[in-house]
Structures are given as structure tokens and as C-alpha cells.
Amino acid sequence: MDFEFEKPLQPLRDQIAALQSKHAKGDAAADAELTELQRRLEAETAKLYANLTAWDIVQIARHPGRPTCRQYAEKMCDEFIELHGDRVFGDDPAILGGLARIGNTRFMLIGHQKGATTEERMACRFGMANPEGYRKAIRLMHVAEKWGIPVVTLVDTAGAYPGLDAEARGQAEAIGRNLLEMAGLRTPILAIVTGEGGSGGAIGIAVGDRVLMLEFATYSVISPEGCASILWRDGAKAPDAAKALHITSHDLARLKVIDGIIPEPTGGAHTDAEKTIANVRSAILENLKKLSAVTNGDRLVENRYRKFAAMGHFDKRHAVPID
């Protein structure tokens, strides 16, 4: 999958491909030129990715090659034991959860699972969870609370599943209950937006003591397309909506909606999944160490409340008089 904004890099890529073909046929003279072109491509890519628009970043966040929750669980953790079901209706494959361990650090890992193959993506509804998914998530969080281990959530969804069955089984209630119960959970919660953080489907597992984002992830109350269709009745204005929504990691860090940014490889997480997973692993260990310093459950809950209550501010310069 090539991005439209990467078209200026294509001539260099074509030259590199041609030289690699010569190299494969035993042309040793191509080595020096190949090395130089690869260096130039890396420099040009870094320059391009340092000046992306919000809409460009939306495309990167949606790339199907970004690591999935299951890949994080299997490649990041030294041990992962998957747990299933909400004990009410059934098991939702769009939410993956289980007991995890990295070294001596144990935690409950919960995240949206988009899937790696077409069949898996269809089964997981591209990471859009049903109510039973959110109920499974909060059930596992209470298990973590009972055993005194922290919760780590990986957020990657366009939003909660909007189907009739999901609404009939109480989609809004399930998400609302998660917000309420996570706010009072007496164990540390670390939330990481790894791809798309869309609407209530994202916040349903993201009420964290610390909220981080991968560098080219997005986090918003609505998709740019949805916002554009409401404000301008024109989905083609999605790039304008993406800019106005301030959905990028750097925008949200500046607005203090998130607490930190996890760097991605040049070109995005999809270009080097192994490095991305290693960066997330390091961030988890670093932040859980900080959160473990607060051992009093009441203080933990109070700090969490203050964190979310402090978001946003009122600017009188932009106030609209009410007659």
C-alpha cells in the first residue's frame, strides 16, 4: 500500500529496485551506488515524514500493516495467557485480553484486535467491538484489580460496532459503564493508542492514569469523514476536518490530552513492526514503573479523576453571548 504523499520518493525507489536487481545478478559495481541511494531515500523519507499533514497521518494510522494487538501480545510479552468471554453473552474477537508478563512485570493486557488477514479482519469487524467486547474488557480489569496487577490497554479502532445487534445488546450502556468503572478502578491503568483511536469505541478502554500514543496514531471523538459529513455535508472535506480536529499525537500532547508520544520508525510502524513493538514494550515498562510508585488505591483514583477533570479550558475571548 503506497501513500499519495509518498509519490516524490518513487523515483528513488525505482532506482534502488533496479540496482538491487543488478546486485542480485552479481554486479558488484552496483553496491556503492546502491548504498548511496538508500542513504538518500532514508534522508528524504525522514524529511517528508517530519512535515506530514493531519490527513497524511490518518492514512498512516489506518495502514493494514501496522502491528495488531495479537502481534504485540505474542512478540512483546514473554508470556501471554488469553482469557475469553464476558460471562453474559459471549466472546468478542474484536477485543483481545489476557494475563501478560514482560520480565518480572505482570499486567492485564487488553486491546482492540483488527486482524492480520482478510478473514480475521472480517471476524473481528476491523477492531470495532460489540458490547460483549467491552464487558469482557471490564471483567478482565476487575480481575486485575482483585490480584493487584496493572492494566495495559492498546487502542486501535475506528469506533464501536454500529450494528443493530450491538445496539440491541446495549452498546452505549456497555461503553458508559466502562468509563464509570475504569474511573474508579483501584489499580494502575496505562492506555496506548497504537493506530486509530476513534470515538467512544476508543475511550471505552482508554480511561488511563497515563495515556500514550504512537507517533503516527490518531485519537478523536469522530472520524474526519464523519466530521466532514456533519459540518460541510461533504465527505471530501475530510482532510480539512482532520486538521480542525487536532487528532495527531503532537497536537494532543500540546493540548495535554495525552501524556506522551512513543516514536515510530521512519516511514511508520508498518515499515518496521519489530522496532515499533520494542518501543511500545519499553514505554510500558517505563510507565508501569512510575505508576507503581502510587500504592494507595484512593490516591490513584483521585489522581485519575483530577487528570481528566483538568482537560480543556474556557477562553472568554471566544465566548458567544446568550440573549
Side-chain angles (χ1 to χ4, degrees):
M1 175 180 174
D2 294 325
F3 299 118
E4 186 71 22
F5 64 83
E6 286 187 335
K7 278 189 174 180
L9 302 175
Q10 196 56 47
L12 271 176
R13 289 174 173 170
D14 292 341
Q15 291 179 56
I16 289 171
L19 286 172
Q20 285 174 334
S21 178
K22 289 183 179 180
H23 176 75
K25 294 176 181 177
D27 186 351
D31 287 0
E33 189 177 356
L34 182 59
T35 300
E36 174 59 21
L37 284 176
Q38 288 173 331
R39 186 195 63 77
R40 281 180 54 195
L41 178 61
E42 185 174 342
E44 289 297 320
T45 302
K47 183 179 178 180
L48 180 68
Y49 272 71
N51 296 281
L52 295 172
T53 67
W55 183 242
D56 293 336
I57 293 173
V58 169
Q59 308 311 305
I60 301 170
R62 292 173 175 172
H63 195 286
R66 292 178 74 85
T68 66
C69 184
R70 187 170 295 280
Q71 287 174 313
Y72 282 109
E74 294 176 350
K75 297 182 180 181
M76 176 180 73
C77 302
D78 298 317
E79 183 179 14
F80 178 71
I81 302 172
E82 187 175 356
L83 301 173
H84 296 273
D86 67 341
R87 302 297 187 267
V88 177
F89 179 83
D91 187 50
D92 185 356
I95 293 286
L96 178 72
L99 294 163
R101 177 179 62 82
I102 299 175
N104 294 323
T105 302
R106 299 180 183 276
F107 53 93
M108 186 69 76
L109 180 65
I110 301 166
H112 296 102
Q113 171 63 7
K114 278 189 171 181
T117 65
T118 301
E119 293 76 13
E120 190 179 3
R121 290 183 188 116
M122 293 294 290
C124 296
R125 299 177 302 283
F126 296 85
M128 294 186 288
N130 275 328
E132 53 270 24
Y134 292 103
R135 291 176 179 132
K136 173 169 70 171
I138 201 65
R139 180 179 76 82
L140 298 186
M141 291 182 199
H142 282 304
V143 171
E145 180 183 46
K146 177 180 178 179
W147 294 106
I149 61 174
V151 172
V152 175
T153 66
L154 303 180
V155 178
D156 188 11
T157 183
Y161 190 64
L164 289 175
D165 288 344
E167 296 298 331
R169 293 197 295 273
Q171 184 72 285
E173 187 277 338
I175 293 173
R177 181 163 294 278
N178 275 26
L179 304 187
L180 174 66
E181 297 197 20
M182 288 183 76
L185 204 72
R186 295 168 62 85
T187 198
I189 306 171
L190 171 63
I192 303 174
V193 183
T194 60
E196 289 183 278
S199 193
I203 196 68
I205 61 169
V207 182
D209 300 292
R210 289 186 65 80
V211 179
L212 310 178
M213 286 178 68
L214 277 173
E215 185 178 2
F216 300 123
T218 59
Y219 195 23
S220 175
V221 69
I222 191 172
S223 70
E225 293 90 341
C227 177
S229 67
I230 292 171
L231 292 183
W232 296 293
R233 303 285 196 272
D234 184 1
K237 289 188 176 290
D240 296 325
K243 181 180 179 180
L245 284 167
H246 299 289
I247 62 179
T248 70
S249 62
H250 292 286
D251 281 340
L252 293 168
R254 178 174 53 81
L255 294 170
K256 298 182 180 179
V257 173
I258 65 169
D259 304 294
I261 299 171
I262 303 172
E264 293 189 31
T266 301
H270 59 281
T271 65
D272 192 340
E274 185 176 340
K275 184 175 181 180
T276 302
I277 291 170
N279 290 348
V280 171
R281 175 187 171 112
S282 296
I284 288 173
L285 293 176
E286 177 185 346
N287 283 272
L288 288 186
K289 184 177 180 180
K290 293 177 181 177
L291 289 173
S292 66
V294 182
T295 56
N296 183 291
D298 290 334
R299 180 174 297 176
L300 190 70
V301 171
E302 178 65 19
N303 289 347
R304 192 181 301 143
Y305 171 79
R306 290 182 181 277
K307 166 187 169 62
F308 281 89
M311 289 183 186
H313 67 278
F314 179 75
D315 191 338
K316 291 183 179 180
R317 294 174 300 173
H318 301 142
V320 178
I322 301 176
D323 295 329

